[in-house]
Amino acid sequence: MEMKWRTILLQYCFLLVTCILTALEAVPIDIDKTKVENAQPVDSAKIEPPDTGLYYDEYLKQVIDVLETDNHFREKLQKADIEEIKSGRLSKELDLVSHHVRTKLDELKRQEVARLRMLIKAKLDSLQDTGIDHHALLKQFDHLNHLNPEKFESTDLDMLIKAATSDLEHYDKARHEEFKKYEMMKEHERREYLKTLNEEKRKEEESKFEEMKRKHENHPKVNHPGSKDQLKEVWEETDGLDPNDFDPKTFFKLHDVNSDGFLDEQELEALFTKELEKVYDPKNEEDDMVEMEEERLRMREHVMNEVDINKDRLVTLEEFLKATEKKEFLEPDSWETLDQQQFFTEEELKEYENLISIQETELKKKADELQKQKEELQRQHDQLEAQKLEYHQVLQQMEQKKLQQEISPSVPGGESKIQPRM
């Protein structure tokens, strides 16, 4: 039960670190382990949660760890459903936690506020802004209550959960947008490079480009994500089991890596590795690994939309089994891979190139300004060095005159004109 509430809460806090996910290998549960190749026990306690990518990731994890130490709060969270957590109703339970836990939470908040203030100061210093109310700028951070920087209150827990929930719900959309920009930049750079070539070289490059596209598109059939064919392939090739013994319930337990009773987004994405390997090979020049991760994201989103009935970004055993009863599970439509998709239109590319041109112009302007500032600073430096040298020479002359005045004049032969007193 303890793992259940933690998984529900952290599901809204954990983004996807795909290099970790693809390395995860599940272990059969309640099946004949003699049929499994190279079975290794998994200690769920040793599975580290991936970095969310949120700027308050460390603070979020520390708060959760501290709350886990309070028996009352942990018990309430164990019984809570996803709506209670997302709505913030559970935040009121913070008033009942032990003094020791509240003290730790207060310290965590003070550390986080101090960290944010340092970030603000560093940013403002880089912009050379002065006279800014740093305290007022804390308002831009919506994962804590800036009005009380010393105490961690129920409002802080409410704001932290809601901020993480909102940020992560928009994360997939942001990833798609970044991927689209990546593809447009690739095409922009390719076209710009072609402009630098003569006609013969340009034709060679175009021919090479089309050949690489054909090679990439020439891959085995990709099974529809979440279909029986796709899962059976994982069952046979990854888990080393007889395809004739395929059982959805056993499959679910097998790939519930941390045994919390859910398939989360990370565990789902790990199921698509075999399909992705049909299309992408890091050794091949024509295969783009950034595109592979976009394909993985599309597959996960598709399965979640089909299977996750209550839209809590977690798949229960009941939801999983219901999905296997659908017609789409047995007779799915063909899956269109990214090489069959159009990422952007010519109009969108032109707009993006205009944006790049504007940014490049602004950067050039700033570079020119910085160069002028550098030249002015160099001129001032040279001027100061010249003045320094001049002052040094004057001081030397003054020292020499002073030294000459202190030495008495000598008669010919080196004898002094002044006779000593008798």
Side-chain angles (χ1 to χ4, degrees):
M1 287 297 291
E2 180 178 341
M3 286 297 298
K4 175 183 176 181
W5 76 261
R6 184 176 177 86
T7 300
I8 293 176
L9 182 58
L10 290 182
Q11 182 62 31
Y12 288 89
C13 311
F14 293 164
L15 303 186
L16 309 174
V17 180
T18 52
C19 60
I20 296 176
L21 304 182
T22 54
L24 294 177
E25 292 188 1
V27 179
I29 301 175
D30 297 335
I31 63 174
D32 184 358
K33 295 184 179 181
T34 61
K35 297 181 179 180
V36 183
E37 298 176 1
N38 302 322
Q40 297 292 331
V42 173
D43 184 355
S44 61
K46 294 181 180 179
I47 298 176
E48 292 293 330
D51 191 334
T52 67
L54 301 175
Y55 64 88
Y56 49 89
D57 173 79
E58 189 62 27
Y59 174 63
L60 177 66
K61 291 177 182 176
Q62 290 173 342
V63 168
I64 293 172
D65 288 340
V66 171
L67 287 173
E68 273 194 318
T69 64
D70 186 86
N71 293 331
H72 169 78
F73 200 84
R74 185 170 64 248
E75 182 180 349
K76 289 292 183 181
L77 281 168
Q78 287 173 355
K79 298 176 181 178
D81 59 29
I82 192 66
E83 285 306 316
E84 287 181 286
I85 294 175
K86 289 173 63 178
S87 67
R89 293 196 297 271
L90 274 173
S91 301
K92 304 301 179 185
E93 298 294 333
L94 187 67
D95 296 332
L96 303 177
V97 302
S98 67
H99 175 72
H100 178 64
V101 170
R102 288 299 292 267
T103 301
K104 284 187 175 181
L105 291 172
D106 291 345
E107 178 60 25
L108 286 178
K109 183 177 179 181
R110 286 193 290 270
Q111 292 174 2
E112 178 69 358
V113 170
R115 184 183 72 87
L116 296 177
R117 284 174 174 164
M118 288 180 62
L119 291 176
I120 291 172
K121 183 179 185 303
K123 181 176 181 179
L124 294 179
D125 288 346
S126 68
L127 299 174
Q128 297 181 343
D129 285 339
T130 57
I132 302 296
D133 184 353
H134 288 210
H135 178 72
L137 286 175
L138 284 172
K139 292 180 181 179
Q140 66 184 291
F141 302 111
D142 57 3
H143 66 287
L144 50 70
N145 178 17
H146 70 281
L147 296 177
N148 186 356
E150 299 296 326
K151 295 290 185 180
F152 188 100
E153 303 168 319
S154 59
T155 305
D156 289 288
L157 183 57
D158 185 24
M159 293 178 70
L160 183 58
I161 293 173
K162 289 181 177 178
T165 301
S166 175
D167 290 344
L168 296 181
E169 284 178 346
H170 292 90
Y171 178 66
D172 287 346
K173 182 179 180 181
R175 281 182 63 183
H176 288 310
E177 287 298 319
E178 287 302 313
F179 174 74
K180 184 176 180 179
K181 290 179 183 177
Y182 168 79
E183 289 294 330
M184 288 193 290
M185 179 57 79
K186 268 176 53 177
E187 180 61 16
H188 168 70
E189 291 178 345
R190 188 183 75 85
R191 294 185 183 186
E192 289 298 305
Y193 173 65
L194 291 176
K195 292 177 183 178
T196 66
L197 306 177
N198 59 38
E199 185 176 355
E200 182 180 354
K201 289 290 184 181
R202 187 162 53 250
K203 287 182 179 180
E204 289 180 6
E205 283 297 322
E206 289 283 16
S207 177
K208 179 182 177 182
F209 177 72
E210 292 300 325
E211 177 62 23
M212 288 177 63
K213 281 180 63 177
R214 285 192 293 270
K215 287 176 66 177
H216 175 67
E217 293 168 1
N218 184 25
H219 55 72
K221 176 188 174 183
V222 175
N223 290 314
H224 196 94
S227 67
K228 185 175 182 179
D229 288 341
Q230 190 258 314
L231 299 185
K232 281 184 69 176
E233 192 169 278
V234 175
W235 174 276
E236 180 179 7
E237 296 189 17
T238 302
D239 304 329
L241 300 174
D242 189 335
N244 296 321
D245 295 334
F246 177 76
D247 176 64
K249 185 176 181 180
T250 302
F251 184 92
F252 182 94
K253 292 182 178 181
L254 180 65
H255 292 277
D256 177 15
V257 179
N258 57 6
S259 303
D260 62 357
F262 302 93
L263 290 182
D264 59 32
E265 294 177 344
Q266 296 97 316
E267 290 165 334
L268 275 178
E269 287 200 2
L271 301 179
F272 309 135
T273 299
K274 281 293 177 184
E275 299 303 316
L276 294 169
E277 287 176 348
K278 296 177 182 177
V279 186
Y280 300 95
D281 185 341
K283 298 177 182 178
N284 294 338
E285 183 184 4
E286 66 271 13
D287 297 337
D288 188 332
M289 295 301 104
V290 175
E291 292 180 0
M292 183 185 77
E293 294 310 321
E294 174 70 7
E295 188 78 79
R296 190 192 301 275
L297 173 58
R298 290 178 64 242
M299 290 179 170
R300 187 258 292 166
E301 286 181 321
H302 172 75
V303 172
M304 275 293 187
N305 288 334
E306 294 291 320
V307 180
D308 181 21
I309 298 173
N310 62 357
K311 305 304 176 186
D312 63 355
R313 303 171 77 97
L314 297 165
V315 177
T316 64
L317 176 59
E318 181 182 2
E319 289 173 328
F320 184 77
L321 294 179
K322 281 185 178 180
T324 62
E325 297 171 0
K326 296 179 180 180
K327 179 182 177 181
E328 293 82 0
F329 180 72
L330 299 174
E331 302 175 11
D333 296 330
S334 60
W335 177 256
E336 291 189 355
T337 53
L338 281 177
D339 49 56
Q340 299 169 284
Q341 307 288 319
Q342 182 178 4
F343 305 132
F344 51 85
T345 64
E346 280 296 320
E347 190 173 309
E348 287 174 323
L349 178 60
K350 186 176 180 180
E351 183 178 344
Y352 183 67
E353 288 179 326
N354 289 337
L355 178 61
I356 292 174
S357 178
I358 293 172
Q359 291 175 341
E360 288 177 345
T361 301
E362 291 177 350
L363 287 173
K364 186 178 184 305
K365 183 180 177 181
K366 289 181 180 178
D368 291 341
E369 290 174 355
L370 289 172
Q371 181 63 30
K372 289 179 180 178
Q373 292 177 12
K374 179 182 177 182
E375 291 172 356
E376 176 61 21
L377 288 172
Q378 184 64 47
R379 186 189 68 78
Q380 293 178 7
H381 173 75
D382 294 342
Q383 188 178 33
L384 288 172
E385 286 295 317
Q387 291 176 354
K388 181 180 175 182
L389 179 60
E390 184 180 346
Y391 293 152
H392 181 68
Q393 290 173 345
V394 170
L395 286 174
Q396 281 185 327
Q397 292 173 1
M398 292 176 65
E399 288 292 332
Q400 289 174 357
K401 287 181 179 180
K402 183 179 178 181
L403 184 61
Q404 288 173 358
Q405 291 174 356
E406 290 177 352
I407 299 175
S408 300
S410 301
V411 297
E415 296 181 1
S416 176
K417 289 182 178 181
I418 302 173
Q419 297 295 327
R421 292 182 182 182
M422 297 301 293

